[in-house]
Amino acid sequence: MTDSESDAESAASADTETDAPDVLVLRNGTHGMPVEQYVAAIRERLPNATIELARTPSEEREAIEAARFVTGMTLDEDLLEAADALEVFACAYAGTGHLPLEALEDRNVTVTNASGVHGPNIGEHVLGAILRFTRRFHVGARQQRRREWRHYKAHELQGSTVTIVGLGAIGQAVCERLEPFGVETIGVRYSPEKGGPTDEVIGFDGAAFDEALARTDYLVLACPLTETTRGLIDHETFVTIDPDAVLVNVARGPVIDTDALVQALRSNWIRGASLDVTDPEPLPEDHPLWTFENVQITPHNAGHTPKYYERLADIVAENVRRVAEEPTADLENQVLP
C-alpha cells in the first residue's frame, strides 16, 4: 500500500464524533452470492478502514443513521429517511433506475454505480449466443438427445453485420470480442458524433437506424431502458430487419415489444432470439416464448460472474480513498449529481 492510500484510509477512519463505519454495506447480495464476499473484498482493499455489514433490516436502519458512505444493491426511500449523515451511495448495480434518485439529489447525496463490472462476462454471454445460432448448436443438441447422426446446415459468422445498440462498457466489450471474427459492426448511441469502437456509429433517430436494421445479421441490445429505448424493437423493426437475422437482448425486457416479438417468431420474420431479459420478468410458465425452439432464454443470468464483487470492490475502495483525500472530488462511475 502506498503512503497516500494509508493516509487516505486513516483520514477515512478519523471520525471521533460517532461510531459510524467508514463503509456501510447493506444486506442484499446478488446472483446468489453471499454479500459477505463483497464485504471481504472491500476489507481486503481497505485493511485500515472500518467496513460494517448490516445483516438485518433493524441493523440497516440503526447503522445508516450515522453512515456517510453506504453501498448496496438498492436503497428505498424509507431507509433513506433514516440516513441522516449520508454523503455517498455506491450502487452495486450498473443501473440506477430503481433508486429514489430525486430524493437522493434533493439531499445532495453523491451516487455511483457498477458500470464496467459486467463488461467481460456479458460480452462473453453475447458472443456465446451469437455462435450458438451461427453454428446452430441447439439443433445439434436436440439431435444428440434423440441419438440422431444426421447432418444439418449451419451459418458462418465471418462477413456478417452485427449491430450493437448501446456503446457503454457492455457494448464496447461485445465489440472487442467480435473483432477477431471478421465482422462488420454498427454501433447505435445517443451521441453518434462521439464515435466508438464499431466500424460505423449512428444515432437512434432518422433513416440511418432503419437502414442499419435492413442489413443486420445479428442485433445486440446492450442499452439502458429509457424513454427512447422502451419499445424500440417493435413491429416495424421486425418487418424491416432481414428474416435471417438473430436478436440478442442483454439490456432490459421492455426494450422489445414482446407481442411483436412473438408475432415475428410465429411468422418467421427473424431466425431466432437469445433473451437474457424479458417483459414480463420473470417470464410466466405459460408464456408462448418458452415454446419456440429457436428462442434461447436465460433467467437474467448474463450478469453473473465470480469476479463481480472483486471488480465492484475495486471501484468502491478507490472512491473511499478519493472521498477521504478530497470530499468534493469527482468519483469513479459517478452518476449523481
Side-chain angles (χ1 to χ4, degrees), residues 26-53:
L26 303 182
R27 60 195 169 96
N28 284 343
T30 188
H31 297 303
M33 297 183 294
V35 71
E36 285 83 359
Q37 294 180 9
Y38 182 30
V39 175
I42 300 174
R43 285 175 177 159
E44 182 179 353
R45 288 155 178 78
L46 298 173
N48 296 327
T50 304
I51 316 300
E52 179 179 335
L53 170 62

Side-chain angles (χ1 to χ4, degrees), residues 10 41 53 117 157 174 178 186 227 273 295 321 326:
S10 297
L53 170 62
V117 169
L157 183 56
V174 171
L178 285 170
I186 303 172
E227 291 184 6
V295 173
R321 297 186 188 107
E326 184 182 349

Side-chain angles (χ1 to χ4, degrees), residues 110-127:
T110 299
V111 177
T112 63
N113 68 9
S115 178
V117 169
H118 287 305
N121 46 291
I122 296 186
E124 292 171 4
H125 183 99
V126 170
L127 185 59

Side-chain angles (χ1 to χ4, degrees), residues 101-118:
L101 293 176
E102 291 186 6
L104 287 161
E105 186 172 16
D106 289 342
R107 298 182 58 165
N108 296 317
V109 176
T110 299
V111 177
T112 63
N113 68 9
S115 178
V117 169
H118 287 305

